[in-house]
Amino acid sequence: MEFVTAHGAGKPTWAVDIGGTKTLLGRLGGGVLTVVAVIRTPDDPAVLAAWLRRQVPGRVARLGVAFPGGLDEDGRVTAWPNRPEWVGYGLRDALGRIARAVVLRDDGESAAAAEAMYGIAQGRPDALVAVLGTGLGGALVLDGKVRRSAPADPRTLGHLAALPEGSCGCGGTGCAQLALRTLPPDDRLGDGLEGWPDGLRLVAFLGDLVRFLSVPTVVLTGGLLARPVLRAQMRVRMAACGVEVLVPARPGLSSLLGAAALEMAG
Ligand SMILES: [Zn+2]
């Protein structure tokens, strides 16, 4: 799969988007983001590191990584409610065998950077970027800059309380990303998400958030938005909250592009 972007005309750079379900390895060069390989994210992070070593030729200069969990200053995993087995793993050290410099970023921040700098949110100084996949990630863009959360803080967008009940792997109750667990197939969504009550609560939560923050634009991205019926219904429901709603053409690649492009920017 290839995705043409205006960015990345210089030296090729490598990027990894580690997700709760699958991991993408990509290469950005000559203005084209190429997905080189895809693997189901293993429970054992050492298995993923070994797979990456087989995919990447030699030891490259730098590698950008989009990651959904919390990380400490040394690049060690401090929290990942979807994959508790990863906690304590030295991700930066392991990937240091693949690249001389490893740049780790929150996946929501990576997606926000990609869409704000090179994607669909270009020209919008203020936006909330929500990434819907196995979990819910996201970041705020204010004055054209991605606001970064504390790297080790697991309280990302998906772990803010938005539902009346449900226990989350983070220890919280009613976390927003729990809504994704009850997502039905397209033919049971109804005409406007009526078949997904938690989805309506998630949309209302995002709507309340952007109204409170006076942010006029919401970017919905992430692998789930590749489903046309879901994308259309979420777009309509979200717009009913009185905000501009943007969905990129390749929502499954936002975080990967951000990891690659951030790497180049660094
Ligand atoms: Zn949670």
Side-chain angles (χ1 to χ4, degrees):
M1 187 194 309
E2 290 191 339
F3 174 59
V4 177
T5 166
H7 192 76
K11 279 175 112 177
T13 187
W14 290 82
V16 184
D17 174 19
I18 301 174
T21 302
K22 63 184 177 181
T23 293
L24 308 181
L25 171 66
R27 187 171 168 277
L28 176 63
V32 176
L33 176 67
T34 304
V35 178
V36 175
V38 181
I39 187 175
R40 185 173 179 80
T41 304
D43 289 337
D44 182 352
V47 172
L48 183 71
W51 177 79
L52 287 169
R53 280 200 296 277
R54 291 194 298 275
Q55 300 294 328
V56 177
R59 192 162 180 245
V60 298
R62 295 195 294 182
L63 176 73
V65 182
F67 184 68
L71 294 161
D72 67 14
E73 287 181 356
D74 297 324
R76 188 170 295 275
V77 179
T78 56
W80 190 8
N82 283 329
R83 295 280 172 146
E85 303 89 349
W86 282 54
V87 173
Y89 187 69
L91 190 58
R92 178 179 290 137
D93 284 350
L95 299 184
R97 294 175 64 182
I98 298 166
R100 291 191 290 281
V102 177
V103 181
L104 301 169
R105 294 271 187 267
D106 175 82
D107 65 340
E109 292 170 8
S110 296
E115 298 307 331
M117 292 192 287
Y118 320 111
I120 201 164
Q122 281 183 90
R124 266 73 167 187
D126 301 326
L128 173 71
V129 179
V131 187
L132 287 79
T134 308
L136 171 66
L140 264 181
V141 178
L142 294 176
D143 295 328
K145 292 192 172 66
V146 177
R147 294 301 166 111
R148 293 190 171 151
S149 55
D153 190 346
R155 288 169 298 173
T156 51
L157 180 64
H159 297 283
L160 300 181
L163 306 178
E165 58 188 8
S167 357
C168 180
C170 75
T173 300
C175 290
Q177 75 170 27
L178 294 176
L180 304 176
R181 289 189 191 166
T182 59
L183 173 64
D186 286 352
D187 61 358
R188 285 173 39 211
L189 277 174
D191 294 327
L193 298 183
E194 294 87 353
W196 185 27
D198 283 346
L200 291 173
R201 294 184 184 103
L202 177 60
V203 167
F205 161 72
L206 293 173
D208 286 348
L209 196 57
V210 292
R211 274 197 300 272
F212 173 69
L213 295 168
S214 297
V215 170
T217 302
V218 171
V219 177
L220 296 174
T221 188
L224 279 185
L225 273 298
R227 288 171 53 173
V229 175
L230 179 64
R231 177 170 60 219
Q233 294 196 13
M234 285 207 75
R235 186 195 282 271
V236 169
R237 280 288 181 177
M238 198 75 243
C241 296
V243 294
E244 178 189 37
V245 185
L246 303 174
V247 183
R250 297 290 181 90
L253 298 183
S254 295
S255 293
L256 186 67
L257 175 61
L262 275 177
E263 166 55 19
M264 296 191 79

